[in-house]
Amino acid sequence: MSMPTTPLRPRALFAMGRSHRDALFPPEAVRRLSLSCEIDPELLVEDFAQVPGLAGLDDVELLITSWGCPPLDAAVLARMPRLKAVVHAAGSVKHHVTQACWDRGLLVSTAAAANAVPVAEYTVAAVLFANKRVLEIAGHYREHHAVEDWTLRFPGFGNHRRTVGLVGASLVGRKVLELLRPFDFELLLADPLLDHATARALGARLVELDELLAGCDVVSLHAPALPETHHLLDARRLALLPDGATLVNTARGSLVDQHALTAEVSSGRIHAVLDVTEPEVLPATSPLYTLPNVLLTPHIAGSLGGELRRITISAIEEVERYCAGSEFAHPVTRAALAVSA
């Protein structure tokens, strides 16, 4: 009588920048992966053109990708005839998941939900500091070494009953709404794909974008970068923000007309917390580096340092689900990708 055979585990391959692989998948993470799939920790693809012939690709069933993964176009997919799934250990898959992937019928998963957590946390911190005028007060105190009547200087400042508006009910936007719920805010939301009932369930009141901009103390952007959202906040819409309002952008720099924003904050009329800009790194002459009413950070809101562990766990769990024959917990569909980051 023949003995039952053990099912072959799917062959997996890392495709990402080396530094990201080292940060996301240390030895203990690779050991856990190896319990579900066959994976060579030394084999890493940063450029498919550099992989000679079919070596290391022809039997790959599962790609584990992250930042730095090259595009998976038709020519690349032709070299991986057995490829069935892509698990992305990062946020957006738009940089590497091409039309050819959907034509092949590949299953795609993302750790965007895990990456949304630190972005949302950064945003909440920005909202709380903005309403409390922490940056301005700290700057004045550092320069003058003196205490003023801050209520006289900033009438009505603080976080009690302020109005906060979110543009976009993305994964990050929804997480921000969840984290802001315990605070004493009025929450507004603008998203053309949402209805009033869904907005109420998220804890916000759905309004048109112009109404939101005109009525908020803080406005936070969480919309995707699409042709129709390019410079969504132009000079006209930025002018709708009340005097003293703060604009927070942790989404994409292209959502805001950079020249119009620079003019507004240079006048001192509004404030800004910017983790993303257009271009990504501003010219050295940009006044945004030095204006006291602007906090400029170099795209750090997303997962960094110890926060990467959350992404690693999410990706490993998706690999385990796939290898067990289960559906992904965080699938990406072609339709959803068309209106997301």
Side-chain angles (χ1 to χ4, degrees):
M1 183 177 65
S2 60
M3 298 294 291
T5 59
T6 302
L8 294 176
R9 291 178 297 167
R11 170 94 189 289
L13 175 69
F14 288 122
M16 62 189 74
R18 183 169 298 278
S19 63
H20 300 306
R21 196 282 307 275
D22 293 345
L24 286 163
F25 296 98
E28 61 271 19
V30 175
R31 281 193 292 271
R32 180 173 168 182
L33 279 174
S34 66
L35 297 176
S36 302
C37 61
E38 296 287 346
I39 188 162
D40 183 351
E42 300 304 318
L43 185 56
L44 170 70
V45 176
E46 297 179 271
D47 182 352
F48 286 101
Q50 299 300 314
V51 182
L54 296 179
L57 296 180
D58 59 326
D59 62 346
V60 171
E61 182 178 334
L62 174 65
L63 273 184
I64 301 173
T65 65
S66 188
W67 298 289
C69 177
L72 304 176
D73 56 25
V76 168
L77 294 184
R79 300 178 64 188
M80 293 183 285
R82 300 184 185 180
L83 184 65
K84 295 180 180 178
V86 176
V87 171
H88 190 50
S92 176
V93 301
K94 283 188 174 181
H95 301 293
H96 64 294
V97 171
T98 68
Q99 181 62 40
C101 296
W102 303 120
D103 293 342
R104 169 78 74 88
L106 296 184
L107 301 173
V108 180
S109 167
T110 176
N115 192 50
V117 175
V119 183
E121 292 170 344
Y122 177 109
T123 301
V124 171
V127 169
L128 296 175
F129 269 34
N131 283 328
K132 196 73 172 179
R133 294 300 182 219
V134 169
L135 297 176
E136 297 95 312
I137 293 173
H140 187 278
Y141 192 39
R142 181 170 55 248
E143 181 179 355
H144 297 286
H145 306 162
V147 176
E148 289 191 16
D149 183 339
W150 304 118
T151 300
L152 183 64
R153 187 177 180 89
F154 302 108
F157 86 121
N159 282 294
H160 180 67
R161 300 307 301 155
R162 306 307 290 269
T163 304
V164 178
L166 274 65
V167 180
S170 63
L171 285 171
V172 175
R174 291 169 185 244
K175 186 65 178 178
V176 170
L177 287 172
E178 176 190 333
L179 294 178
L180 287 178
R181 205 166 293 149
F183 296 96
D184 205 358
F185 292 134
E186 180 183 1
L187 300 175
L188 304 184
L189 178 62
D191 190 317
L193 302 180
L194 227 59
D195 57 41
H196 290 275
T198 304
R200 283 195 298 271
L202 293 172
R205 179 164 62 90
L206 187 67
V207 297
E208 293 296 322
L209 178 57
D210 284 7
E211 180 183 348
L212 182 148
L213 293 171
C216 287
D217 300 293
V218 180
V219 172
S220 187
L221 302 182
H222 303 287
L226 303 171
E228 54 268 37
T229 63
H230 182 74
H231 289 184
L232 183 66
L233 268 60
D234 54 14
R236 182 190 71 81
R237 282 191 164 134
L238 288 170
L240 295 175
L241 289 166
D243 291 354
T246 299
L247 176 67
V248 180
N249 191 1
T250 59
R252 293 291 185 266
S254 63
L255 298 177
V256 184
D257 181 330
Q258 195 70 57
H259 295 294
L261 176 61
T262 301
E264 283 283 8
V265 294
S266 294
S267 74
R269 194 184 74 80
I270 64 171
H271 308 260
V273 178
L274 307 173
D275 190 53
V276 289
T277 54
E278 186 185 43
E280 181 80 5
V281 178
L282 294 172
T285 55
S286 172
L288 298 183
Y289 285 112
T290 55
L291 284 172
N293 54 328
V294 174
L295 173 62
L296 184 64
T297 54
H299 207 158
I300 62 168
S303 299
L304 293 171
E307 295 162 341
L308 293 172
R309 177 66 177 161
R310 191 183 285 113
I311 286 181
T312 300
I313 293 171
S314 176
I316 291 175
E317 289 177 346
E318 289 290 69
V319 169
E320 292 171 344
R321 289 186 185 95
Y322 174 82
C323 294
S326 301
E327 295 182 353
F328 285 139
H330 305 287
V332 180
T333 65
R334 175 164 34 185
L337 191 60
V339 291
S340 63

